Amino acid sequence: MMADSGGRLRRLAQGTSRQHLTLAGSAAGAAVLAVLVAGGFDPSETTAAEELAPLAAGDTVDVGPFVVTIDRMRVVDELPGVSEGDDETRVLAVVATVEATGTKTQHGYLLNESLALAGVPGVPSYESPGRTRDPDEPVPAEGAYVMADGTVLDAVQPGLEYEVALVWEQDARADVPAAARLVLVGHTLRQSSIDHTDEWLDPLPVAAGDLEVTAPEPDEPAESPSGGGS
């Protein structure tokens, strides 16, 4: 059984504002989801594997609100403001260059939801009470950190490029994978049927591929989002 409450990233998230509430996170949201499902929309629906574009390091993909260029995947160590003494979890990170499309600032949580890992043992490192998770279900990134200074990326400004580390906690009892399947999730800009504002909605996987995971050598410090390591 994996850890109940998560480790470093989960404790960090408790001290920051998520700035949004998912539909499933409230009674009203649950009612809305029920209406959507009854109307033929299944929020768990995914694109068939044969319809996904292949994905590899170096590829650039437009996921709707962002253009994402995948660089590499590594095990990282130090996270700003978080203790390094946590032996229960390790952190896997996809390093990517990200740029917002359009002319509006996009929330960082939308970027987190645009990248997911699938089928990685020990990810997520925690269990949700009362919910049985499919082990192959893609897991969105738990956060994004700016590589230049290690700060949390909570807003993506148009016209700027960001080199970021998108991170997931893995239960330390699971082995570091030699490769991990990364899924990019696209969104469509359309008018919301709830409040009639234009929003990025209808998340669906658009590309997927296996990335090599680089683990530090025994005498090499793990790479950190603030630029340490190699």
Side-chain angles (χ1 to χ4, degrees):
M1 179 178 294
M2 300 304 176
D4 290 334
S5 59
R8 290 175 283 185
L9 297 178
R10 198 133 308 276
R11 289 197 296 273
L12 178 63
Q14 290 173 354
T16 60
S17 171
R18 183 165 168 77
Q19 300 186 23
H20 85 302
L21 178 66
T22 60
L23 283 176
S26 66
V32 171
L33 281 178
V35 171
L36 292 176
V37 171
F41 172 71
D42 182 356
S44 65
E45 180 183 358
T46 58
T47 305
E50 60 269 17
E51 297 178 5
L52 296 181
L55 181 66
D59 287 351
T60 298
V61 180
D62 187 337
V63 296
F66 311 102
V67 174
V68 179
T69 301
I70 303 301
D71 184 359
R72 61 193 184 276
M73 187 168 183
R74 285 197 55 130
V75 176
V76 299
D77 185 5
E78 181 181 354
L79 289 175
V82 185
S83 170
E84 298 179 49
D86 190 340
D87 295 327
E88 296 180 354
T89 61
R90 69 176 62 89
V91 177
L92 306 179
V94 170
V95 179
T97 301
V98 176
E99 185 175 1
T101 61
T103 58
K104 294 183 178 180
T105 298
Q106 302 296 338
H107 287 298
Y109 74 78
L110 188 57
L111 175 61
N112 299 343
E113 294 172 357
S114 297
L115 284 84
L117 293 182
V120 178
V123 177
S125 63
Y126 57 92
E127 294 181 349
S128 300
R131 180 175 185 267
T132 301
R133 195 183 68 85
D134 183 340
D136 293 324
E137 177 185 344
V139 179
E142 297 184 50
Y145 294 81
V146 180
M147 291 291 291
D149 57 15
T151 56
V152 176
L153 182 63
D154 54 10
V156 182
Q157 304 287 343
L160 298 177
E161 281 192 351
Y162 299 82
E163 186 183 25
V164 298
L166 291 116
V167 296
W168 293 257
E169 272 193 332
Q170 182 191 31
D171 192 299
R173 290 169 290 184
D175 293 333
V176 175
R181 188 161 186 80
L182 178 66
V183 180
L184 297 189
V185 179
H187 293 75
T188 300
L189 184 63
R190 67 170 176 84
Q191 188 178 83
S192 168
S193 59
I194 298 175
D195 58 9
H196 305 292
T197 59
D198 288 339
E199 298 180 21
W200 290 102
L201 303 169
D202 307 330
L204 280 177
V206 294
D210 295 332
L211 298 183
E212 179 183 358
V213 179
T214 303
E217 297 295 333
D219 57 349
E220 175 194 358
E223 183 176 6
S224 75
S226 56
S230 60

